[in-house]
């Protein structure tokens, strides 16, 4: 979006709303198409389960807190709150009830892995190109700055250093790190998940080589994105993936504890032999102080308002309505949910995460297991960051999860869409001919 803004508009002139909201418009069109297909009985009426029920209840409760707090006259706050906090859940509900052929499901994942590879490579290029080269493509010339509706900064620097954090095509390094949280496990499982026959191993050797290459490049990107919460999330999620894949192997326990010991030795060695780097990049006392203060304010706010103070009252949505253009940023997605929707919303959101992870694991598909690990990684990030704020991250992850959990039919997505538009165009032609 920044590139198009730099080409077609002045950098400081925001896009018109109907262009900036292209993702939301496409989701509305998709929802209408799904409703028409259900109404015409082209696809069966969705069978709702516990996960659907909890998500629906959470959406209703969150919207009700917004309407109760802001009312109809200030509905814009509720809309922006829903954009950041609810849109990806609505998209998931739509996708997971759209029938797909297994071939179509595989194509979606192949396309995504290709796009992820391009994103990974661009992150590497950023490390070696001039730090401000993105300014020529519509990014803001001011680093580490955020203005609602304005262009993205060309770089987020580590405090008190001249070190840029990698962000690839995303609006910041934390968003890029959240994207890496669920793409790295996909490449990890692509390389290491077991095949049943030797022919399958030989046939998929190029694909596994591609996965191994992209996994290593992704690790490089993750390291130089300098997101400590992402590092923690990646360690936990990839460890879980390692356990899932190899827990039944005889050598597993010795190898597992050897890797844990090696990691601890590396951490301690870094603190002794690279003390300045350890203190400025990993410890970051000033950053920790900011996290602590914002988190403390968020916790106190929830305790004072246990039923929430309205959807959009905190997080990125609030930045558009606060005079300081910063908003109420509690530095945690869970605190954001608690501030907006109170304890009821927070409990429902935790239930959604648990039920989704359980469903992904139960489908016995390596992609589901990988996404479950990715969900765990992002969930850990969300303790100290607003990990689901980026539409590129949230819509992609929940869209992929919906695709995996969608019903399988002989006549899938593309066939139904083709038949629908063919029938629609024929009716229009007959009417005006």
């Amino acid at each position: 979006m920044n590139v198009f803004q730099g080409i077609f508009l002045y950098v400081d002139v925001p896009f018109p709303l109907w262009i900036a909201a292209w993702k939301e418009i496409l989701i509305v069109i998709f929802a209408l198409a799904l409703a028409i297909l259900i109404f015409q009985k082209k696809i069966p009426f969705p069978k709702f389960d516990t996960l659907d029920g909890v998500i629906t209840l959470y959406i209703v409760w969150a919207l009700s807190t917004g309407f109760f707090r802001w009312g109809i006259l200030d509905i814009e706050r509720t809309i922006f709150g829903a954009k950041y906090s609810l849109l990806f859940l609505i998209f998931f509900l739509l996708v997971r009830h759209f029938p797909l052929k297994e071939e179509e499901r595989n194509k979606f994942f192949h396309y995504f892995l290709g796009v992820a590879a391009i994103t990974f490579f661009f992150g590497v290029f950023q490390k070696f190109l001039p730090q401000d080269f993105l300014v020529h493509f519509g990014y803001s010339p001011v680093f580490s700055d955020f203005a609602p509706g304005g262009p993205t900064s060309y770089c987020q620097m580590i405090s008190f250093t001249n070190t840029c954090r990698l962000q690839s095509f995303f609006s910041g390094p934390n968003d890029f790190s959240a994207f890496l949280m669920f793409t790295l496990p996909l490449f990890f499982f692509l390389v290491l998940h077991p095949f049943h026959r030797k022919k399958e191993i030989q046939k998929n050797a190029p694909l596994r080589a591609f996965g191994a290459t992209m996994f290593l490049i992704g690790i490089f990107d993750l390291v130089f994105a300098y997101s400590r919460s992402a590092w923690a999330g990646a360690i936990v999620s990839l460890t879980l993936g390692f356990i899932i894949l190899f827990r039944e192997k005889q050598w597993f326990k010795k190898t597992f504890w050897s890797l844990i010991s090696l990691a601890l030795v590396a951490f301690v060695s870094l603190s002794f032999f690279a003390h300045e780097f350890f203190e400025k990049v990993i410890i970051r006392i000033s950053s920790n102080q900011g996290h602590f203060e914002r988190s403390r304010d968020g916790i106190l706010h929830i305790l004072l308002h246990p039923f929430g103070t309205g959807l959009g009252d905190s997080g990125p949505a609030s930045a558009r309505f606060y005079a300081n253009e910063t908003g109420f940023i509690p530095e945690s997605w869970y605190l954001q949910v608690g501030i907006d929707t109170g304890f009821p919303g927070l409990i429902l959101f935790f239930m959604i995460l648990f039920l989704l992870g359980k469903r992904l694991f139960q489908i016995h598909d390596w992609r589901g297991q990988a996404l479950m690990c990715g969900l765990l990684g992002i969930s850990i990030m969300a303790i100290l960051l607003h990990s689901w704020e980026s539409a590129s991250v949230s819509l992609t992850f929940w869209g992929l999860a919906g695709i995996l959990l969608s019903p399988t039919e002989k006549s899938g997505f593309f066939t139904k869409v083709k038949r629908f538009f063919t029938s629609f165009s024929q009716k229009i032609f007959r009417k005006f001919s």
Side-chain angles (χ1 to χ4, degrees):
M1 186 63 74
N2 285 287
V3 175
F4 289 104
Q5 188 173 10
I7 294 174
F8 296 108
L9 295 172
Y10 292 106
V11 173
D12 56 351
V13 177
F15 264 107
L17 181 62
W18 64 272
I19 297 179
W22 64 272
K23 296 183 291 295
E24 291 78 6
I25 293 172
L26 288 178
I27 291 175
V28 170
I29 293 173
F30 179 66
L32 292 174
L34 181 63
I36 292 172
L37 290 172
I38 293 174
F39 179 76
Q40 294 182 344
K41 297 183 179 180
K42 301 291 185 181
I43 59 176
F45 192 83
K47 296 180 180 179
F48 297 101
D49 59 11
T50 305
L51 177 58
D52 296 314
V54 175
I55 291 176
T56 303
L57 186 59
Y58 174 70
I59 291 173
V60 171
W61 172 258
L63 289 174
S64 65
T65 63
F67 287 123
F68 180 79
R69 171 69 189 277
W70 313 116
I72 300 298
L73 296 179
D74 199 8
I75 195 174
E76 188 180 5
R77 284 191 181 230
T78 303
I79 292 174
F80 272 100
K83 165 185 163 62
Y84 288 103
S85 300
L86 304 180
L87 185 64
F88 61 88
L89 295 174
I90 296 171
F91 184 57
F92 171 75
L93 290 179
L94 295 173
V95 173
R96 77 166 301 202
H97 291 295
F98 203 109
L100 291 169
K101 292 192 296 185
E102 187 60 31
E103 179 184 355
E104 293 173 345
R105 190 175 284 114
N106 293 335
K107 283 182 179 179
F108 276 117
F109 272 85
H110 288 159
Y111 294 150
F112 169 72
L113 293 178
V115 172
I118 296 172
T119 306
F120 283 19
F121 274 116
F122 190 72
V124 174
F125 293 153
Q126 277 186 311
K127 184 62 181 176
F128 301 103
L129 290 171
Q131 289 186 343
D132 62 347
F133 83 100
L134 285 175
V135 172
H136 303 291
F137 296 93
Y139 283 71
S140 170
V142 182
F143 66 87
S144 303
D145 183 51
F146 170 76
T152 302
S153 294
Y154 76 88
C155 164
Q156 295 287 331
M157 286 191 181
I158 300 175
S159 301
F160 308 109
T161 72
N162 194 34
T163 303
C164 268
R165 303 168 62 189
L166 299 187
Q167 64 188 55
S168 190
F169 296 112
F170 291 83
S171 58
N174 292 330
D175 294 340
F176 183 34
S177 298
F179 178 79
L180 291 167
M181 280 302 95
F182 67 90
T183 47
L184 282 174
L186 281 169
F187 286 117
F188 183 77
F189 273 78
L190 178 63
V191 176
L192 297 176
H193 83 275
F195 291 95
H196 300 292
R197 294 183 297 272
K198 289 185 178 180
K199 289 184 178 179
E200 290 183 350
I201 297 176
Q202 296 173 353
K203 180 181 177 181
N204 290 278
L207 190 60
R208 299 180 98 168
F210 165 75
T213 303
M214 297 319 304
F215 178 76
L216 294 176
I217 292 175
I219 292 294
F220 176 91
D221 289 336
L222 180 65
V223 169
F224 290 103
Y226 294 113
S227 174
R228 294 166 298 170
S229 57
W231 292 345
I235 290 171
V236 175
S237 64
L238 293 176
T239 299
L240 176 61
F242 187 74
I243 293 172
I244 291 173
L245 289 170
F246 302 113
R247 65 186 183 278
E248 296 180 358
K249 303 293 184 180
Q250 293 182 351
W251 50 263
F252 168 74
K253 288 186 178 180
K254 291 183 179 179
T255 304
F256 177 76
W257 289 113
S258 297
L259 290 174
I260 294 295
S261 301
L262 183 64
L264 290 174
V265 170
F267 184 80
V268 173
S269 300
L270 190 65
S271 65
F272 276 101
F273 299 107
H275 182 71
E276 185 176 355
F277 173 84
F278 186 81
E279 188 176 81
K280 288 185 176 181
V281 175
I282 297 180
I283 300 300
R284 293 189 224 168
I285 296 176
S286 60
S287 176
N288 292 338
Q289 181 66 25
H291 277 294
F292 173 77
E293 292 175 354
R294 294 185 182 94
S295 297
R296 178 198 60 198
D297 293 342
I299 292 171
L300 291 175
H301 189 95
I302 296 172
L303 293 175
L304 290 173
H305 307 279
F307 291 99
T309 51
L311 188 64
D313 192 35
S314 67
S318 66
R320 296 179 176 273
F321 303 98
Y322 277 62
N324 60 6
E325 291 191 344
T326 301
F328 188 180
I329 308 296
E331 297 284 3
S332 168
W333 184 266
Y334 305 118
L335 291 180
Q336 176 185 322
V337 171
I339 291 167
D340 289 359
T341 63
F343 286 110
L346 192 57
I347 293 171
L348 289 171
F349 189 76
F350 279 126
M351 290 177 64
I352 291 170
L353 296 179
F354 173 77
L355 292 172
L356 177 63
K358 182 179 178 181
R359 288 299 307 275
L360 289 172
F361 186 76
Q362 287 176 338
I363 62 176
H364 301 294
D365 184 307
W366 68 268
R367 295 167 298 187
Q369 295 172 340
L371 285 181
M372 184 197 69
C373 294
L375 177 64
L376 177 62
I378 298 178
S379 298
I380 291 172
M381 278 191 69
I383 297 173
L384 294 174
L385 293 172
H386 298 261
S387 301
W388 296 114
E389 69 175 348
S390 169
S392 301
V393 172
S394 58
L395 293 179
T396 302
F397 174 84
W398 289 84
L400 291 174
I403 288 171
L404 274 182
L405 298 178
S406 64
T408 302
E409 284 194 359
K410 294 181 179 180
S411 178
F413 173 80
F414 294 108
T415 304
K416 286 182 170 60
V417 170
K418 182 179 179 180
R419 289 176 180 174
F420 171 76
F421 281 107
T422 300
S423 175
F424 182 77
S425 59
Q426 288 175 349
K427 289 180 181 179
I428 295 296
F429 179 77
R430 290 170 185 170
K431 184 176 182 180
F432 291 98
S433 61

